[in-house]
Amino acid sequence: MADDRAALRREVLTLVGLVLLVDGVFIAIYYAAGLRAGGGGGTLGYTALWTVVTLAVVLRSLGRIRVLRVRLRQGGREGAEKSR
């Protein structure tokens, strides 16, 4: 059970780290490509791409976190049933 808690903590930290990484990369590209001065559709498309990539990272990580939480919950129930 301690391994599952450590895995859950690791997945949450991975989620935060990946979101920060995605944001950092997209912010760097935004300024390096000069999109700040640009206008209209290019900036809107870039923002949409940024949102989709962030959403993909978050959904993947939250799916993994959910699996670990379910496993933790089931492990807790099994331990309670064994002690009876």
Side-chain angles (χ1 to χ4, degrees):
M1 189 181 271
D3 289 340
D4 287 341
R5 287 187 191 276
L8 181 61
R9 179 174 288 135
R10 190 171 40 254
E11 283 298 328
V12 170
L13 291 175
T14 300
L15 167 62
V16 171
L18 287 174
V19 169
L20 289 174
L21 179 67
V22 166
D23 284 353
V25 167
F26 272 88
I27 289 170
I29 292 171
Y30 179 81
Y31 284 106
L35 291 174
R36 186 177 183 191
T43 305
L44 182 62
Y46 186 78
T47 304
L49 177 64
W50 186 351
T51 302
V52 168
V53 171
T54 302
L55 183 63
V57 167
V58 168
L59 289 178
R60 174 206 162 266
S61 292
L62 287 179
R64 293 172 63 117
I65 290 168
R66 182 169 187 248
V67 167
L68 288 170
R69 289 187 69 197
V70 167
R71 191 182 306 159
L72 263 174
R73 218 175 276 148
Q74 288 174 347
R77 275 193 228 136
E78 289 172 6
E81 289 173 5
K82 287 180 183 177
S83 65
R84 288 183 185 182

